[in-house]
Amino acid sequence: MTALEVDRQAGAPAQPEAMPLDCTRHATLGEDGLSRLHLLVDGIHCGGCIRKIETALQRQPDVREARVNMSTGRLAVAWAGPAARATDLAGLVEGLGFRVTPFDPTQKRAGEDRSEKELLIALAVAGFAAGNVMLLSVSVWAGHFQDMGPATRDLLHWFSALIALPAILFAGRPFFRSALGALRNGRTNMDVPISLGVLLASGMSLFETINGGEHAYFDAAVSLLFFLLVGRYLDHRARGRARSAAERLLTLRSGSVTLLQPDGRRRSVPAETVESGQRILVAAGERIAVDAKVIEGRSEIDSSLITGETLPKPVRPGEMVFAGTLNLAAPMTLEAKAVGEATILAEIVRLMELAEQRRARYVALADRVAKLYAPVVHLLALVTFLGWLLFGGLAWQASLMIAIAVLIITCPCALALAVPAVQVIASGRLLRRGILLKSASALERLAQADTIVFDKTGTLTLGRPDLIEGGLIEGGLIDGGLIDGGPTEGGRPAEALRLAAGLAAASRHPLAQAVARAAPEAEALGGVQEIPGCGLLLETPEGEIRLGSRRWCGIEAEETPGEFGSEPRSELGPELWLCRPDAEPLRFGFADPPRRDAAEVVRQLKAQGYAVELLSGDRAATVEAVAKDLGIETWRAGCTPAEKCRRLEELEAEGRRTLMVGDGLNDAPALAAALVSVSPSSAVDISQTAADAVFQGEALAPVLELLNVARRSEILVKQNFGLAFAYNLIALPVAVLGMVTPLIAAIFMSASSLLVTGNALRLVRGGPR
């Protein structure tokens, strides 16, 4: 057992509806030509189960990919061939002893709720039986000192059996079912020794009662089961707080949507049945179920689950909205562009599942140790029984009780939870802050990093030109008035700016959009023509108004590569010129400003002991200005992707462990060359990045959060391993020496699991200091 047993450890949940024999209709054909099938696998309790399923499927010659996620229970399999093959592959998994159904996150959650209810009922039955049997046992114990006759003692034993045995058979079902399923398929899990211990104690007590023996342990057997159920229920609740972030996201895709039919009628349909191109209505307060383009209506959406941004985002016709976002203000009509597995939300879920399930170094260590658990503990319990029986001078009943305590107390729950609990909680915490992990080992590598290397454009800056304060260069930074030349109003030629913004509203060019953003109150002007490679033209009775390149506007300058088609580029950076009849030309200067918190993030990184460098392909003057502004002493300009890789190799040769922060597209070679890499990205770019982690939004603070969570996660994992090993080092000799009863062993075992999970949950509140 090597992965977080998210809720399933409570015993097999109430089974969903059986998979039909023909699974063809659940398979889909992807754009890559591969058929894909998503199934919910029931009965997974450990990493061994996952390896067994994946290995069996990957041995099939036509299977290209088989992946099981422990947290969500989802099996994703892709193969080259017809969809009819789906039934055979599902049957192969069922042949391994697992139950499979079409994947439905809401059905899975409903099954887990039923499982929790079943645990609570079992706990109540076991507690009632334990209390009553304990009262009868007190009478038996008191009778030993008051000359109680054998007939009375046997009668009390039979009363105890009538209460305890039915209660054990009913309340022990979560353990018995799981153990029986494992043994039936030639496997073992942690419920096998637990079930064995409970049944041995009950069987021995019944044997003693039938034969009129002096000792019966019905009180121990039913109380043992009661405390095991207490631990399992509390563990179930605690792990519910650490439930997979991917599982929570999956529930956002379910539900129904209002479909707008061609004849104008409205019909409510399941979200998964919507097809690309269909129109849907989204009411205020309703969650959007598909990726879509806004056709009618203006509103604000809460995209925090996708981008991590807490402020509502205004949307208008022509803009894209994504599945999982929440419509806040007003109804909208949308046209579906991507549904189901093609949505951005589905892509995020896939990334989360990959991050949660991949085997990192600590997971592999826990896996190797836990793999030896079953044979070793069973052999140890047998040796303990024989040792006390043959050499310890104890009767077989007492020797068996000691062996039962060994079976119970050595359960490796704490060890198996040491890494996955931290991993899942860390992934969930980062997701809530708009950060997606693409690799489980990324946290380990982030914790080792000591040098942070930034790209400039799109990383330290937003990669988006903004209208800046004039064109005077002072110390490498642009300063002065908003526009050069002409009368100003408060330092700004407001009328000219509004005119330019009215022209710019007709263009999608980045520089024109920057002008439009600078004067959002300006109304778009009609009749504006866009001249490719030149600019924008408006014919008026007074003459032409132009907004465009220097040469097109008749401003003499030396030709250099331009920003707006073929216009020259001044030494001051990108520019546009506004020419009006009977007025002096006005120049608009642009720059790509740093992210709002970039300087503070760099300062904190240096304060925490990280070395910070800047590698950019931009001009030296621009790079120097940004580096000086942000306080980065080590920088290089004009770097090609190959030169960036060489610099990273130099740092590695010096013994440095580098974190590369780049835009994830043209920096892909450098991202791959670094020890670990992070990319800022919009939601639509997530699938394109080559980084180990992706963060959303316009702030750079997620880099600090990633490093912080990585360091704290490493501390928590080491603490969990220490707790798990310390528990076993102490508990095992104590149990073998006969110093604990099975009842105390059950309490210790449950407490160790809760201790490790509770320690991992500290990461939710900020983690260890």
Side-chain angles (χ1 to χ4, degrees):
M1 184 178 62
T2 61
L4 181 61
E5 303 169 48
V6 179
D7 299 340
R8 292 294 182 89
Q9 191 57 56
Q15 302 295 335
E17 186 176 336
M19 165 72 77
L21 182 61
D22 183 10
C23 301
T24 305
R25 65 188 182 91
H26 301 293
T28 58
L29 182 64
E31 295 181 357
D32 54 4
L34 297 179
S35 297
R36 300 182 183 276
L37 180 66
H38 294 270
L39 299 172
L40 175 63
V41 183
D42 184 45
I44 296 176
H45 293 294
C46 62
C49 300
I50 292 176
R51 288 195 307 275
K52 189 172 184 179
I53 295 171
E54 292 180 344
T55 301
L57 289 171
Q58 289 167 358
R59 285 175 179 170
Q60 303 300 306
D62 56 343
V63 173
R64 299 292 180 266
E65 177 186 347
R67 188 175 70 242
V68 181
N69 181 261
M70 184 72 187
S71 298
T72 59
R74 175 158 73 164
L75 164 63
V77 58
W79 68 94
R85 179 84 164 113
T87 300
D88 297 334
L89 296 175
L92 178 63
V93 178
E94 286 190 321
L96 299 174
F98 301 94
R99 182 179 176 85
V100 294
T101 58
F103 186 79
D104 182 351
T106 57
Q107 186 183 58
K108 178 180 185 290
R109 182 59 193 159
E112 290 172 348
D113 289 340
R114 288 193 295 270
S115 177
E116 182 175 320
K117 183 178 180 180
E118 179 190 25
L119 265 180
L120 195 57
I121 293 174
L123 177 62
V125 171
F128 173 81
N132 284 276
V133 172
M134 194 63 69
L135 290 175
L136 294 171
S137 297
V138 169
S139 301
V140 175
W141 299 336
H144 284 297
F145 303 98
Q146 299 178 5
D147 298 325
M148 177 183 289
T152 305
R153 182 195 63 207
D154 292 345
L155 179 63
L156 292 176
H157 282 170
W158 277 113
F159 276 129
S160 299
L162 290 173
I163 297 173
L165 293 179
I168 289 172
L169 292 176
F170 176 83
R173 290 180 304 162
F175 303 103
F176 301 155
R177 247 193 333 249
S178 175
L180 184 61
L183 293 174
R184 186 184 293 122
N185 293 282
R187 300 179 292 116
T188 59
N189 59 17
M190 63 168 289
D191 290 331
V192 172
I194 288 176
S195 301
L196 188 61
V198 172
L199 293 177
L200 282 175
S202 304
M204 181 190 68
S205 300
L206 182 59
F207 176 84
E208 286 288 287
T209 300
I210 293 174
N211 291 278
E214 184 177 354
H215 300 288
Y217 300 94
F218 292 114
D219 53 345
V222 72
S223 299
L224 167 63
L225 184 60
F226 171 71
F227 281 102
L228 286 171
L229 285 167
V230 169
R232 182 64 57 86
Y233 180 75
L234 293 177
D235 195 33
H236 182 283
R237 297 286 295 179
R239 294 180 196 181
R241 294 185 58 194
R243 182 172 288 114
S244 163
E247 181 183 342
R248 290 193 293 269
L249 283 177
L250 281 169
T251 60
L252 300 180
R253 296 167 47 190
S254 57
S256 61
V257 299
T258 302
L259 187 65
L260 185 61
Q261 297 179 316
D263 59 4
R265 290 185 301 171
R266 303 178 181 183
R267 183 163 58 96
S268 180
V269 299
E272 59 269 17
T273 64
V274 176
E275 298 179 358
S276 180
Q278 290 184 323
R279 294 193 174 190
I280 62 174
L281 299 177
V282 181
E286 183 179 355
R287 196 169 293 278
I288 300 170
V290 299
D291 290 358
K293 183 172 71 173
V294 180
I295 302 299
E296 295 178 7
R298 292 171 176 259
S299 183
E300 292 184 336
I301 62 169
D302 177 2
S303 60
S304 58
L305 289 172
I306 303 296
T307 66
E309 292 289 336
T310 56
L311 295 177
K313 174 187 174 184
V315 292
R316 57 186 179 182
E319 295 186 353
M320 287 291 296
V321 293
F322 300 103
T325 56
L326 185 65
N327 181 24
L328 297 176
M332 294 187 295
T333 301
L334 310 178
E335 180 180 332
K337 294 296 183 182
V339 299
E341 293 300 314
T343 62
I344 296 300
L345 182 62
E347 176 67 16
I348 293 175
V349 169
R350 283 192 288 271
L351 294 178
M352 290 298 300
E353 289 182 341
L354 284 171
E356 290 180 356
Q357 76 186 45
R358 287 178 178 168
R359 291 157 56 78
R361 174 165 51 98
Y362 289 120
V363 176
L365 172 62
D367 193 13
R368 288 194 297 270
V369 174
K371 187 177 180 180
L372 300 173
Y373 158 71
V376 170
V377 73
H378 292 160
L379 180 61
L380 184 61
L382 178 61
V383 170
T384 301
F385 171 72
L386 295 177
W388 281 104
L389 179 64
L390 299 178
F391 306 105
L394 295 181
W396 70 271
Q397 296 95 332
S399 300
L400 184 60
M401 293 300 289
I402 296 175
I404 292 171
V406 171
L407 284 173
I408 299 300
I409 207 169
T410 52
C411 179
C413 291
L415 180 63
L417 288 169
V419 181
V422 176
Q423 215 169 61
V424 171
I425 293 170
S427 296
R429 169 174 170 165
L430 292 173
L431 180 66
R432 289 191 294 273
R433 288 160 174 78
I435 306 169
L436 294 174
L437 288 178
K438 294 184 66 180
S439 168
S441 63
L443 285 176
E444 293 179 9
R445 288 179 281 134
L446 280 164
Q448 299 168 15
D450 56 20
T451 301
I452 317 299
V453 179
F454 286 102
D455 175 46
K456 183 184 76 70
T457 305
T459 303
L460 288 175
T461 69
L462 292 173
R464 182 186 67 195
D466 279 342
L467 191 61
I468 58 169
E469 297 284 329
L472 298 177
I473 294 185
E474 179 179 325
L477 294 179
I478 298 178
D479 196 10
L482 186 68
I483 304 174
D484 290 340
T488 64
E489 178 182 314
R492 303 182 177 214
E495 182 181 349
L497 177 58
R498 285 193 293 270
L499 174 61
L503 291 167
S507 174
R508 302 301 296 172
H509 189 279
L511 297 187
Q513 290 180 353
V515 174
R517 286 197 302 270
E521 74 283 357
E523 295 184 4
L525 299 177
V528 178
Q529 306 173 52
E530 184 163 3
I531 311 301
C534 297
L536 301 168
L537 174 65
L538 176 63
E539 298 281 357
T540 68
E542 293 78 17
E544 292 182 347
I545 300 177
R546 294 188 177 191
L547 178 67
S549 67
R550 175 188 292 260
R551 187 176 64 176
W552 186 56
C553 290
I555 312 298
E556 293 185 3
E558 185 179 336
E559 291 191 17
T560 55
E563 290 291 335
F564 205 131
S566 60
E567 89 278 14
R569 179 172 184 169
S570 105
E571 290 300 321
L572 298 178
E575 63 179 10
L576 289 179
W577 285 82
L578 176 66
C579 293
R580 299 165 293 171
D582 302 323
E584 290 294 323
L586 297 179
R587 177 186 178 276
F588 293 80
F590 301 87
D592 185 11
R595 294 175 184 260
R596 60 181 183 270
D597 62 343
E600 177 62 19
V601 168
V602 171
R603 187 193 67 78
Q604 290 194 37
L605 287 172
K606 293 166 68 175
Q608 294 175 15
Y610 292 101
V612 180
E613 292 195 14
L614 170 58
L615 301 180
S616 175
D618 210 341
R619 296 171 301 153
T622 304
V623 177
E624 181 183 13
V626 172
K628 183 177 180 180
D629 189 28
L630 301 183
I632 301 176
E633 293 80 13
T634 305
W635 57 271
R636 296 188 182 189
C639 295
T640 65
E643 289 171 338
K644 290 183 180 181
C645 290
R646 281 197 294 272
R647 176 55 181 162
L648 293 174
E649 291 170 359
E650 292 172 5
L651 291 171
E652 183 181 3
E654 296 172 6
R656 311 299 289 271
R657 296 181 293 274
T658 55
L659 161 62
M660 178 68 193
V661 187
D663 62 13
L665 299 175
N666 55 1
D667 283 328
L671 293 170
L675 172 68
V676 62
S677 54
V678 178
S679 285
S681 177
S682 64
V684 293
D685 294 329
I686 289 175
S687 61
Q688 302 172 21
T689 182
D692 295 301
V694 178
F695 66 86
Q696 311 290 318
E698 297 187 354
L700 198 61
V703 175
L704 282 173
E705 175 71 5
L706 260 173
L707 293 168
N708 179 39
V709 170
R711 291 193 304 268
R712 290 175 172 175
S713 296
E714 185 175 47
I715 293 172
L716 288 171
V717 166
K718 291 179 178 178
Q719 288 177 349
N720 280 353
F721 269 116
L723 291 170
F725 283 118
Y727 163 76
N728 283 283
L729 286 175
I730 296 172
L732 184 59
V734 169
V736 170
L737 293 175
M739 300 174 66
V740 296
T741 65
L743 182 61
I744 301 300
I747 296 174
F748 283 171
M749 184 206 71
S750 300
S752 67
S753 177
L754 291 171
L755 182 63
V756 168
T757 304
N759 189 50
L761 285 169
R762 294 168 60 203
L763 191 59
V764 175
R765 300 185 297 274
R769 296 188 180 277

